[in-house]
């Protein structure tokens, strides 16, 4: 069924009621699964999408996708597991075994013929015609195909294992197994595939024809076109890698964010004795050590009061304002240290789990939550700067859509390069606060706008 490319009709996040219905359907179709296993297969909160598509033969299929992987598909009101699901639950279906060389035929769309079966010492599993079955390879317990028995086990044996044994619906490495990166045309400037194809045709990169009513097909591609020959897939940055990992449904872990300080030209004389130069990046404790050592080595600690430090010309230039140059001769330790930190240029270090630290100049922008008015005076909640904390805006939008039961959109953030913003219908700051603080465990100091959450109503 998925041996050739299919056409996607829609891809939407599942509603809460549909999620509960799907869980009930799974429990009814696969009674061997326990309650915990059903909840694990159809999670209660994680991202779960419904993809409606048309197979190459015209069959209308509904695919349920969790964490970027297809877990179930529905055809003519019948529910089937994918090979991904069978890898987690290999005993879910009666399993028949074939030879590794047969897999290539199954991926190409062929049914499993009985001569290709391997009969184990214990005999073949007992099934009836029409029963759902899995196919595995010799030496590997993980199923590689899902199909329907074309005859009962008794009929298979009576035939001498000749003829067609299983109608294969889905196999490992067919078009239902997505690989690499996915591109969403709705997130591009074209918005629609038809506009994109029209633009590509105007540039003479492709030729498009309407071979059947309402269906545009690419009939030719100029592979030597400069736009194609010069195209290079960019390497993802460490932050984008983190976003991609999160989008595959892996648990989110907040980054470790550490404030740093960068030495400006005006303070190089103070820091050069410790081996630092202009542009050097230090932690707060390192700055303190440099200042303390400088004061002690240059005998600047007041002999009568150890809490005071005498200011020499270098310290004066570093920490005093112009009007203080001739009036302030000494400073307490804490005042001297705080003034040094204020004069240094801000920087920060972000460390995502399993990755090398990323150092950037400036201050990290907090996650920004605002309320805005739209048509008919309706309020919407807008969230920006999620990427800086390793969060995928699309995954956050899908989670909020399910939790708030409200429509969400993801669009480019105005004035922010390569950044997306999430918009949720209504004032959803309370839900956002719970998600960011309690589930994602992000520090409150890195989130601004939580105070705009709706006030709880008074009890009558």
């Amino acid at each position: 069924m998925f041996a050739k490319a299919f056409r996607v009709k829609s891809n939407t996040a599942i509603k809460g009621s549909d999620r509960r219905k799907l869980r009930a359907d799974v429990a009814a179709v696969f009674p061997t699964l326990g309650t915990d296993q059903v909840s694990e297969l159809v999670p209660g909160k994680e991202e779960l999408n419904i993809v409606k598509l048309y197979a190459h033969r015209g069959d209308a299929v509904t695919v349920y996708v969790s964490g970027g992987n297809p877990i179930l598909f529905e055809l003519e009101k019948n529910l089937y597991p994918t090979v991904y699901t069978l890898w987690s639950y290999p005993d879910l279906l009666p399993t028949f075994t074939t030879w590794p060389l047969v897999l290539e035929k199954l991926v190409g769309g062929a049914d499993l013929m009985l001569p290709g079966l391997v009969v184990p010492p214990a005999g073949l599993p007992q099934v009836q015609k029409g029963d759902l079955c899995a196919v595995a390879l010799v030496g590997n317990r993980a199923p590689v195909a899902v199909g329907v028995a074309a005859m009962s086990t008794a009929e298979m044996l009576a035939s001498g294992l000749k003829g067609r044994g299983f109608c294969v619906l889905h196999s490992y490495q067919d078009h239902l197994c997505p690989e690499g990166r996915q591109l969403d045309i709705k997130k591009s400037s074209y918005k629609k595939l038809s506009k994109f194809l029209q633009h590509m045709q105007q540039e003479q990169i492709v030729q498009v024809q309407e071979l059947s009513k309402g269906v545009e097909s690419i009939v030719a591609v100029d592979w030597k076109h400069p736009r194609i020959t010069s195209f290079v897939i960019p390497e993802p940055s460490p932050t984008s890698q983190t976003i991609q990992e999160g989008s595959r449904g892996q648990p989110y872990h907040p980054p470790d964010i550490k404030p740093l300080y960068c030495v400006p030209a005006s303070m190089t004389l103070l820091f050069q004795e410790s081996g630092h130069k202009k542009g050097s990046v230090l932690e707060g404790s390192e700055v303190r050590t440099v200042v303390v050592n400088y004061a002690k080595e240059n005998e600047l600690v007041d002999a009568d009061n150890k809490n005071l430090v005498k200011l020499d010309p270098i310290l004066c230039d570093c920490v005093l304002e112009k009007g203080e140059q001739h009036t302030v001769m000494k400073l307490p330790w804490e005042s001297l240290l705080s003034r040094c930190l204020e004069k240094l240029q801000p920087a920060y270090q972000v460390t995502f789990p399993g990755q090398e630290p990323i150092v950037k100049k400036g201050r990290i922008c907090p996650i920004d939550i605002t309320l805005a008015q739209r048509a008919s005076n309706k309020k919407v909640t807008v969230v920006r700067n999620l990427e800086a904390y390793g969060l995928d805006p699309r995954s956050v939008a899908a989670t909020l859509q399910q939790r708030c039961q409200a429509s969400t959109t993801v669009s480019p953030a105005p004035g922010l390069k390569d950044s997306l913003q999430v918009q949720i219908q209504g004032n959803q700051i309370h839900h956002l606060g719970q998600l960011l603080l309690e589930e994602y465990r992000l520090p409150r100091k890195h989130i601004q706008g939580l105070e705009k959450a709706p006030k709880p109503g008074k009890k009558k």
Side-chain angles (χ1 to χ4, degrees):
M1 174 171 293
F2 304 108
K4 296 183 180 180
F6 48 75
R7 179 167 63 90
V8 176
K9 178 184 178 183
S10 63
N11 185 346
T12 57
I14 193 171
K15 297 179 180 178
S17 57
D18 292 335
R19 189 188 294 258
R20 291 190 292 271
K21 181 180 181 301
L22 178 61
R23 195 178 288 120
D25 291 342
V26 169
V29 175
F30 308 110
T32 58
L33 289 178
T35 303
D36 292 341
Q37 291 176 314
V38 172
S39 299
E40 185 181 57
L41 178 59
V42 185
K45 294 183 179 180
E46 285 79 0
E47 180 183 1
L48 185 62
N49 282 32
I50 300 178
V51 180
K52 294 187 177 181
L53 55 86
Y54 292 106
H56 68 280
R57 293 179 180 175
D59 298 306
V61 186
T62 300
V63 181
Y64 297 92
V65 180
S66 176
N69 291 325
I71 57 170
L72 300 161
F73 64 96
E74 189 174 350
L75 173 66
E76 297 179 350
K77 298 185 179 180
N78 293 319
L79 199 61
Y80 304 94
T82 64
V83 291
Y84 290 104
T85 296
L86 293 178
W87 291 343
S88 299
Y89 310 98
D91 298 322
L92 185 62
L93 302 177
T95 303
F96 293 79
T97 306
T98 187
W99 301 103
L101 292 176
V102 177
L103 177 59
E104 183 179 350
K105 302 291 184 183
L106 301 182
V107 174
D111 290 329
L112 179 58
M113 308 303 287
L114 289 176
L117 281 185
V118 177
V119 181
L124 296 175
Q126 295 298 314
V127 297
Q128 299 298 320
K129 181 179 179 179
D131 283 357
L132 189 58
C133 304
V135 179
L137 303 180
V138 174
N140 192 338
R141 188 165 173 257
V144 296
V146 180
V148 176
M151 59 180 76
S152 67
T153 303
E155 291 171 330
M156 293 179 192
L157 297 173
S159 70
L161 295 182
K162 294 181 180 179
R164 185 177 64 172
F166 303 89
C167 301
V168 176
L169 301 174
H170 157 56
S171 67
Y172 171 63
Q173 290 185 334
D174 65 10
H175 284 266
L176 193 59
C177 305
E179 294 184 357
R181 306 181 193 175
Q182 297 183 9
L183 302 178
D184 190 349
I185 195 72
K186 293 181 181 179
K187 309 304 180 185
S188 71
S189 59
Y190 298 100
K191 304 301 181 184
K192 293 183 179 180
L193 181 60
S194 58
K195 291 184 178 180
F196 171 73
L197 292 177
Q198 183 181 11
H199 181 75
M200 293 298 102
Q201 184 164 253
Q202 290 174 351
E203 294 198 9
Q204 298 181 345
I205 298 175
V206 300
Q207 292 182 24
V208 181
Q209 290 183 7
E210 189 173 349
L211 299 181
S212 58
K213 187 176 181 180
V215 180
E216 292 182 327
S217 302
I218 299 176
V219 296
V221 179
D222 181 8
W223 296 106
K224 295 182 180 180
H225 193 282
R227 291 285 298 277
I228 294 181
T229 57
S230 63
F231 179 74
V232 177
I233 299 177
E235 288 295 326
S237 64
T239 302
S240 66
Q241 288 177 356
T242 303
I243 293 172
Q244 290 171 5
E245 289 295 317
S247 67
R248 283 198 289 267
Q250 296 186 0
Y252 171 79
H253 298 285
D256 177 53
I257 303 172
K258 182 185 297 183
L260 299 175
Y261 302 89
C262 190
V263 179
S266 60
M267 301 184 73
T268 52
L269 291 178
L270 174 60
F271 285 85
Q272 68 181 5
E273 292 187 15
S274 300
H276 302 291
K277 58 183 179 180
K278 177 186 174 183
S280 294
V281 178
L282 300 90
E283 297 184 19
S285 59
E286 293 176 305
V287 173
R288 184 183 186 93
T289 300
V290 169
V291 174
V292 170
N293 289 343
Y294 178 86
K296 290 182 177 180
E297 290 172 2
N298 290 277
E299 300 181 350
L300 299 177
V301 180
D302 191 292
D304 299 325
N305 187 347
K306 302 294 184 181
N307 292 325
L308 296 177
V309 178
K310 295 181 288 185
L311 303 182
D312 67 355
I314 291 179
L315 286 178
C316 286
D317 290 341
C318 288
V319 301
L320 295 183
E321 303 296 335
K322 289 184 178 180
E324 299 175 320
Q325 295 284 346
H326 302 290
T327 58
V328 179
M329 303 298 176
K330 301 177 183 179
L331 282 176
W333 276 110
E334 291 306 316
S335 176
L336 174 63
L337 292 169
S338 62
R339 285 183 179 228
C340 282
L341 291 175
E342 289 174 1
K343 296 293 184 178
L344 292 169
Q345 295 174 346
Y348 62 95
Q349 174 181 288
V350 180
T351 307
F352 294 100
Q355 298 185 23
E356 291 296 320
I358 304 169
V359 176
K360 295 185 177 181
K361 292 185 178 181
R363 292 183 174 86
I364 187 170
C365 294
I367 294 177
D368 182 45
I369 305 173
T370 58
L371 290 175
Q373 299 279 37
R374 294 294 185 260
S376 303
N377 205 32
K378 292 182 179 179
K379 287 185 178 180
V380 295
T381 305
V382 182
V383 192
R384 301 183 180 92
N385 301 331
L386 292 167
E387 298 95 334
Y389 299 84
L391 287 168
D392 180 4
R394 296 183 181 89
S395 296
V396 173
T399 301
L400 290 171
Q401 184 181 40
Q402 298 163 14
R403 181 166 303 185
C404 306
Q405 293 296 297
S407 63
T408 61
T409 58
V410 180
S411 59
L416 298 176
K417 185 180 179 181
D418 299 327
S419 182
L420 300 174
Q421 67 178 21
V422 178
Q423 178 176 298
I424 317 105
Q425 187 177 17
N427 186 336
Q428 307 296 349
I429 297 180
H430 176 69
H431 290 290
L432 261 171
Q434 286 184 327
L435 181 66
L436 298 174
L437 295 173
E438 298 176 16
E439 294 192 28
Y440 294 161
R441 304 189 309 279
L442 286 166
R444 183 179 287 270
K445 64 181 179 180
H446 294 306
I447 307 171
Q448 66 179 19
L450 292 175
E451 71 282 355
K452 300 171 186 175
K455 305 298 181 184
K458 295 183 180 179
K459 295 184 179 180
K460 295 183 180 180

